[in-house]
Amino acid sequence: MSGALLILAYLLGSIPSSFLAGRARGIDLRERGSGNLGATNVFRVLGWRWAAPVMLLDVAKGFVPARYFAGLAAVDGTGWALAFGVAAIVGHVFPVYVRFRGGKGVATGGGVFLALAPAAVGIGLLVWGGVVAITGIVSLASMVAALALPAAVWWLEGSGLMFYVALALAAFVLVTHRANVRRLVRGEEPSFRRREEAT
């Protein structure tokens, strides 16, 4: 049962919400904007009316397995909940439905920890919002928030398994954002603030 639910968590995480939103408008988001199948690229290309439901679905893809699958499998412990959540994150980043080219794991990872450590996610959201407000750069905010999450988990939950998974997630988010890091170093990363100043 647990193995089947791990596969189901992966398949749930693989649902390509951004890709489907783009297709609904006749657009392949892999060929527009940043080319990434994430809510930020949906926002850039299609606007917030499309990005908001995509973001909510991406969060839910992590929240549902982490919150409910351990109960369905009749297994105890945070370890199983984290395992189901990690399977969903892997599905989001490497979705089987669109040739394993997905998003960067931020929203789905946030959903996992929203189910298991909501106060820590609240701190991460405050950090994310602060960085966006100061810089206008969503990718930078996502990376800083990802780094803030394990610190918040350690502070609120201690240095157990959840902390180490949060730390691994932060490292994973940095890896998936490596192209953004290169653009940040070159001063070429898109900023909503620069866009507003140019208009």
Side-chain angles (χ1 to χ4, degrees):
M1 183 66 170
S2 299
L5 285 172
L6 283 170
I7 294 171
L8 180 59
Y10 168 79
L11 294 174
L12 181 64
S14 287
I15 296 173
S17 50
S18 301
F19 179 81
L20 294 173
R23 280 302 191 200
R25 293 289 302 276
I27 294 170
D28 187 341
L29 286 171
R30 294 172 297 182
E31 300 173 355
R32 297 285 295 275
S34 67
N36 178 251
L37 290 180
T40 301
N41 200 35
V42 176
F43 179 81
R44 288 193 187 106
V45 178
L46 302 178
W48 69 267
R49 287 182 178 85
W50 290 88
V54 166
M55 174 69 76
L56 289 174
L57 180 56
D58 286 350
V59 170
K61 292 190 306 187
F63 180 90
V64 171
R67 178 68 178 83
Y68 297 110
F69 280 19
L72 291 174
V75 292
D76 295 324
T78 303
W80 273 108
L82 286 167
F84 292 126
V86 168
I89 295 168
V90 172
H92 176 74
V93 178
F94 305 107
V96 65
Y97 307 119
V98 284
R99 300 182 180 180
F100 305 102
R101 181 180 170 188
K104 296 180 178 177
V106 177
T108 304
V112 171
F113 281 89
L114 182 63
L116 302 176
V121 172
I123 292 172
L125 283 173
L126 288 174
V127 171
W128 185 90
V131 176
V132 169
I134 293 169
T135 67
I137 302 175
V138 173
S139 62
L140 179 61
S142 297
M143 288 186 283
V144 175
L147 292 170
L149 180 64
V153 169
W154 178 82
W155 180 44
L156 296 168
E157 307 287 342
S159 58
L161 178 61
M162 195 180 303
F163 164 72
Y164 289 106
V165 174
L167 197 63
L169 176 62
F172 188 61
V173 167
L174 291 178
V175 170
T176 59
H177 281 78
R178 57 191 180 278
N180 304 84
V181 171
R182 288 193 290 268
R183 288 194 295 269
L184 282 166
V185 171
R186 296 195 301 264
E188 297 172 355
E189 184 69 352
S191 166
F192 296 122
R193 173 161 295 175
R194 284 198 294 267
R195 184 179 301 174
E196 290 171 359
E197 291 171 351
T199 57

